[in-house]
């Protein structure tokens, strides 16, 4: 091109000047008639352009396939895939086993999460082209181990065929809300990826029993299967899993209307010796399935039963009385009408090694059933009750007679302060953790009883309790002999600085985590006490409290040696004057929350971000 631009026409045909000059027409008229150049035909130009086209592009895909599978290394394959979509498609169809590796092959084993390569494609990023690129790019790095595709309708069989052929070492596959994926994609995966160990399929309505059966039949190493909200998956899928997956240890089935007793019973009876974790939620199963669980679940350690509306008291009673759940250590029951006092006692008697129990939204459980259960379950350590409104303080006090280590009570509206004298009760010296949240009837009387009966508490969470005051909390603080380590009294609007000062003085030597969020009557006085006494404190939350710059100034001069997390979110009286104090505290901080502190300017925030470069700051 430079030669053409600088060409002046000084040859035997054009003499005396440039043909591109302004006077070229006049010069041609003076020195002689213009010489005509030979006209080139259009067909010749077209032929010339065709000759310029790279010859490899006219090769059929079959030839490109043979060329690409002989590329020397992963870098060459990745570079070739970037040339065009056609090359990427051809490369992605080359199986790893079909590669002709020479001496220069540079397969590099790269480990990420869980010891293998992981890729997660969400939303618009999840396309066939991206899956093809992943298949080509990871083949030279030891192969893809974990793939997650979420929220996309642009992925088709083409992309999963590429993954299947390029990533035969795939171990974990997770699909969530991918409506365009059907049985064909799972069949392609099952043909090539025989090392699959974990499959999670949720909200994929195009997948049916055929796809799950293909996975089960061709992936014998499958150890974990999760199926959620897939309307076309039914009993046939679970039967195929029971038949072909002898190593399955975990199964979770949720909101699949076509799954019933036949599938659940077959699965549990066939895999009774290996199945350890079972979760069944919102299924049309009856008492028969529960009886099968109780009889064949000898290896189950964790069982979750949620929203089983058809199952009755008889089924849960049979599950407990079958006495087959001898390995069960954790049981969760949510929104099951069949859980009553009678069935709960049977479960306690039948599960001799049960350590953790969660009962939520079971409206037929009362004090009698709770006490009977805790007496029968001799190994019980952790008890969590949520929205069980027939349980009162009498039931809770009866449960404390056992060897509980942790007790959690959430939104149990039947728990209220007793108006009559409480009989003499035995101390629960084993209880280490107490959580009471959003129980509107829970007041000072209840709190004082816990303080008297539980002297070894170390973790206390009292959240959203408007009925407790400083007077009620002080006996608990005074009686805790072991020393409190974690205290959460967030959104208890009637607590004041006095109780925080007492807490800091009594337990400052052991306290590590303190949450005072929403304490409208918590001021700088509390921060002064914390600064003077809490040596080991590493997590402090004073969000939405009435603290000021002076309080943060005192805190920055405090005795705490390892404060790592500090939240002052929503503290309207904290201003730019606090920035130097926050910078001083930032010498040990790894997390700082100053959101909704409107009196801290953007310039001050930028200064904090620049100074505390090691700290994760929310603003």
């Amino acid at each position: 091109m430079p030669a053409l631009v600088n060409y002046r026409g000084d040859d035997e045909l054009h003499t005396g000047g440039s043909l591109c000059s302004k006077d070229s027409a006049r010069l041609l008229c003076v020195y002689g008639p213009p010489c005509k150049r030979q006209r080139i035909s259009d067909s010749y130009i077209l032929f010339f352009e065709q000759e310029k086209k790279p010859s490899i592009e006219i090769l059929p895909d079959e030839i490109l396939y043979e060329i690409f599978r002989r590329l020397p290394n992963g870098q060459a394959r990745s570079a070739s895939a970037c040339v065009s979509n056609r090359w990427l498609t051809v490369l992605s169809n080359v199986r790893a086993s079909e590669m002709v590796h020479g001496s220069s092959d540079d397969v590099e084993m790269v480990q990420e999460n869980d010891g293998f390569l992981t890729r997660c494609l969400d939303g618009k990023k999840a396309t066939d082209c991206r899956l093809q690129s992943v298949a080509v790019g990871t083949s030279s790095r030891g192969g893809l181990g974990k793939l997650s595709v979420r929220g996309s309708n642009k992925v088709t069989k083409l992309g999963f065929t590429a993954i299947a052929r390029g990533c035969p070492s795939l171990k974990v596959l997770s699909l969530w809300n991918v409506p365009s994926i059907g049985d064909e994609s799972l069949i392609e995966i099952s043909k090539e990826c025989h090392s699959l160990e974990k499959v999670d399929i949720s909200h994929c309505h195009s997948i049916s029993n055929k796809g799950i059966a293909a996975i089960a039949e061709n992936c014998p190493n499958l150890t974990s299967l999760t199926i959620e909200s897939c309307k076309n998956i039914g009993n046939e899928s679970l039967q195929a899993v029971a038949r072909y997956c002898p190593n399955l240890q975990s199964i979770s089935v949720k909101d699949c209307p076509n799954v019933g007793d036949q599938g659940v019973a077959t699965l549990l009876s066939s895999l009774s010796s290996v199945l350890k974790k079972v979760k069944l939620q919102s299924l049309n199963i009856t008492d028969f399935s529960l009886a099968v669980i109780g009889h064949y679940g000898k290896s189950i350690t964790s069982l979750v039963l949620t929203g089983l509306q058809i199952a009755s008291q008889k089924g849960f009673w049979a599950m407990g009385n079958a006495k087959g759940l001898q390995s069960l250590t954790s049981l969760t029951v949510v929104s099951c009408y069949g859980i009553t006092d009678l069935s709960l006692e049977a479960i306690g008697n039948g599960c001799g090694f049960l350590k953790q129990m969660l009962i939520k939204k079971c409206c037929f459980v009362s004090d009698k059933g709770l006490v009977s259960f805790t007496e029968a379950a001799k190994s019980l350590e952790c008890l969590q009750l949520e929205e069980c409104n027939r349980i009162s303080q009498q039931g809770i006090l009866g449960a404390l007679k056992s060897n509980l280590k942790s007790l959690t009570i959430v939104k149990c509206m039947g728990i209220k302060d007793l108006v009559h004298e409480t009989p003499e009760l035995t101390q629960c010296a084993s209880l280490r953790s107490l959580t009471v949240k959003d129980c509107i009837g829970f007041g000072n009387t209840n709190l004082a009883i816990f303080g008297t009966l539980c002297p070894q508490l170390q973790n206390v969470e009292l959240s959203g309790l408007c009925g407790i005051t400083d007077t009620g909390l002080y006996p608990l603080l005074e009686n805790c002999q072991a020393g409190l380590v974690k205290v959460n009294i967030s959104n208890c609007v009637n607590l004041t600085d006095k109780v925080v000062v007492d807490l800091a003085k009594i337990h400052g030597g052991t306290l590590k985590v303190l949450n005072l969020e929403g304490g409208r009557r918590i001021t700088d006085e509390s921060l002064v006490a914390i600064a003077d006494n809490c040596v080991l404190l590493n997590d402090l939350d004073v969000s939405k409290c009435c603290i000021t710059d002076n309080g943060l100034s005192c805190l920055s001069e405090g005795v705490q040696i390892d404060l790592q997390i500090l939240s002052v979110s929503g503290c309207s009286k904290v201003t730019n004057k606090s920035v130097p104090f926050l910078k001083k505290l930032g010498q040990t901080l790894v997390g700082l929350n100053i959101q909704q502190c409107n009196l801290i300017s953007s310039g001050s925030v930028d200064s904090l971000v620049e100074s505390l470069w090691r700290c994760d700051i929310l603003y």
Side-chain angles (χ1 to χ4, degrees):
M1 183 60 72
L4 292 176
V5 173
N6 296 324
Y7 177 70
R8 295 180 57 86
D10 296 329
D11 55 21
E12 68 273 10
L13 294 178
H14 301 284
T15 58
S18 173
L19 291 176
C20 298
S21 65
K22 294 181 180 180
D23 298 329
S24 59
R26 181 174 60 82
L27 290 173
L28 288 173
C29 294
V30 172
Y31 291 99
C35 283
K36 294 183 179 180
R37 296 187 179 184
Q38 184 177 1
R39 182 174 297 174
I40 301 176
S41 65
D42 294 340
S43 60
Y44 182 82
I45 295 175
L46 180 61
F47 174 78
F48 184 72
E49 291 180 351
Q50 289 179 348
E51 286 295 321
K52 291 170 60 179
K53 186 175 181 180
S55 59
I56 196 170
E57 285 295 333
I58 65 175
L59 295 177
D61 290 348
E62 293 79 6
I63 301 299
L64 289 178
Y65 181 91
E66 292 297 327
I67 294 174
F68 290 155
R69 78 186 190 93
R70 288 171 170 80
L71 290 175
N73 51 47
Q75 184 177 0
R77 290 191 290 272
S78 297
S80 301
C82 296
V83 172
S84 66
N85 285 333
R86 181 192 175 203
W87 284 30
L88 173 62
T89 301
V90 175
L91 268 166
S92 65
N93 283 323
V94 181
R95 291 180 174 86
S97 60
E98 295 173 343
M99 292 291 183
V100 179
H101 298 302
S103 58
S104 59
D105 184 57
D106 65 342
V107 176
E108 176 188 4
M109 297 301 294
V110 179
Q111 295 184 350
E112 292 182 358
N113 297 332
D114 299 322
F116 40 74
L117 281 173
T118 300
R119 293 294 179 265
C120 181
L121 306 181
D122 290 345
K124 295 181 180 180
K125 294 182 179 180
T127 62
D128 286 337
C129 183
R130 185 66 63 89
L131 287 176
Q132 290 173 335
S133 301
V134 168
V136 174
T138 58
S139 61
S140 62
R141 304 177 65 195
L144 188 66
K146 180 178 180 179
L147 175 63
S148 175
V149 182
R150 300 172 59 86
S152 173
N153 57 1
K154 297 181 179 179
V155 178
T156 65
K157 176 185 175 183
L158 181 64
F160 274 89
T161 299
I163 291 293
R165 295 183 177 182
C167 309
S169 60
L170 189 68
K171 295 181 181 296
V172 181
L173 176 63
S174 177
L175 305 176
W176 182 83
N177 193 20
V178 191
S180 55
I181 289 300
D183 295 331
E184 296 81 3
S185 299
L186 289 188
I187 291 173
E188 289 295 327
I189 292 290
S190 69
K191 288 180 180 178
E192 308 287 344
C193 305
H194 303 301
S195 299
L196 267 179
E197 296 177 359
K198 183 178 180 180
V199 175
D200 186 341
I201 301 175
S202 301
H203 299 273
C204 297
H205 301 303
S206 298
I207 294 177
S208 68
N209 294 321
K210 185 178 179 181
I212 300 297
I215 292 289
E217 186 173 355
N218 294 295
C219 304
N221 296 325
L222 195 67
T223 60
S224 176
L225 175 62
T226 299
I227 305 172
E228 178 179 344
S229 299
C230 297
K231 61 181 181 181
N232 292 320
I233 293 178
N235 293 324
E236 293 82 354
S237 295
L238 298 189
Q239 290 171 338
V241 171
R243 188 179 304 113
Y244 298 111
C245 301
N247 300 314
L248 191 72
Q249 298 179 8
S250 175
I251 180 73
S252 175
V253 186
K254 175 183 176 182
D255 195 20
C256 295
N258 290 326
V259 173
D261 290 332
Q262 188 177 2
V264 172
T266 302
L267 181 71
L268 290 170
S269 59
S270 301
L271 302 176
S272 60
S273 61
V274 294
L275 203 56
K276 295 182 178 180
K277 296 182 179 181
V278 177
K279 179 179 180 180
L280 305 176
Q281 181 171 349
S282 302
L283 302 180
N284 295 321
I285 60 176
T286 67
D287 298 337
F288 177 74
S289 292
L290 295 182
V292 171
I293 292 174
H295 184 75
Y296 289 99
K298 59 183 180 181
S299 298
I300 297 178
T301 59
S302 176
L303 177 61
V304 179
L305 304 173
T306 303
L308 305 183
Q309 305 297 333
I310 300 179
S312 66
Q313 173 184 270
K314 182 180 178 180
F316 284 96
W317 179 87
M319 184 179 77
N321 274 344
K323 300 186 183 300
L325 296 172
Q326 293 303 313
S327 299
L328 188 66
T329 58
S330 176
L331 174 61
T332 298
V333 184
V334 181
S335 299
C336 293
Y337 298 144
I339 288 292
T340 63
D341 292 344
L342 180 63
S343 58
L344 191 59
E345 182 180 3
I347 291 173
N349 287 319
C351 305
F353 295 95
L354 187 64
K355 293 184 178 181
Q356 300 177 1
M357 180 68 175
L358 167 60
I359 308 173
K360 181 177 180 180
K361 294 183 179 180
C362 295
C363 56
F364 296 115
V365 175
S366 67
D367 293 339
K368 180 182 177 181
L370 180 62
V371 173
S372 299
F373 170 74
T374 54
E375 290 177 352
K378 303 296 185 181
S379 302
L380 190 66
E381 296 179 354
C382 301
L383 176 62
Q384 184 170 344
L385 305 172
E386 296 187 22
E387 301 182 54
C388 297
N389 296 327
R390 294 187 63 185
I391 293 177
S392 69
Q393 189 183 40
Q394 292 292 345
I396 298 298
L397 295 178
L400 290 178
K401 295 179 181 180
S402 61
N403 294 320
L404 287 177
K405 293 182 179 180
S406 175
L407 175 62
T408 300
I409 308 167
V410 180
K411 294 182 180 179
C412 293
M413 302 308 174
I415 298 178
K416 300 177 182 178
D417 280 352
L418 293 176
V419 296
H420 51 81
E421 291 294 329
T422 304
E424 185 176 351
L425 297 171
T426 305
Q427 284 189 343
C428 182
S430 61
L431 196 67
R432 298 291 187 272
S433 177
L434 172 65
T435 300
V436 184
K437 297 175 62 176
D438 300 323
C439 296
I440 58 176
F442 193 95
N444 288 338
T445 304
N446 285 310
L447 201 55
I449 293 175
F450 276 108
T452 303
L453 297 180
C454 309
Q456 299 300 321
L457 282 174
Q458 294 180 334
N459 304 327
V460 175
E461 180 177 354
L462 306 171
S463 178
L465 304 180
C466 300
I468 64 173
T469 63
D470 299 344
T471 305
L473 187 54
Y474 182 78
L476 186 143
L477 300 179
E478 190 177 31
N479 293 328
C480 287
Q481 302 171 4
L484 292 175
V485 178
K486 297 181 180 180
V487 175
N488 181 351
I489 49 176
S490 60
N491 299 310
C492 294
V493 294
N494 291 319
L495 296 180
T496 68
D497 288 325
K498 183 180 183 304
V499 76
V500 179
V501 172
D502 293 336
L503 171 64
K505 290 180 178 180
I506 299 174
H507 300 284
T510 57
L511 192 63
K512 293 183 178 181
V513 179
L514 178 58
N515 189 341
L516 305 174
E517 181 183 0
R520 297 181 299 189
R521 303 173 69 179
I522 304 297
T523 66
D524 292 340
E525 184 181 352
S526 294
L527 288 184
V528 172
I530 293 170
D532 291 341
N533 298 280
C534 300
V535 182
L536 302 179
L537 191 68
N538 58 38
D539 189 336
L540 176 61
D541 190 343
V542 288
S543 301
K544 300 178 183 178
C545 295
C546 293
I547 64 169
T548 66
D549 300 331
N550 294 330
L552 290 177
S553 174
C554 295
L555 187 65
S556 66
E557 301 291 340
V559 297
Q560 63 279 353
I561 58 177
D562 192 29
L563 185 62
Q564 297 182 6
I565 307 293
L566 175 62
S567 177
V568 294
S569 173
C571 295
S572 58
K573 296 182 180 181
V574 174
T575 68
N576 289 331
K577 295 180 180 179
S578 295
V579 173
F581 314 135
L582 293 175
K583 288 183 178 179
K584 187 173 182 179
L585 290 167
Q587 295 175 2
T588 58
L589 287 179
V590 296
L592 174 62
N593 187 350
I594 54 174
Q595 291 178 321
Q596 300 177 5
C597 293
N598 298 326
L599 295 183
I600 299 180
S601 65
S602 58
S604 298
V605 172
D606 293 338
S607 176
L608 279 172
V609 172
E610 182 178 356
S611 300
L612 308 181
W613 55 272
R614 293 181 302 177
C615 180
D616 185 11
I617 302 178
L618 298 178
Y619 56 90

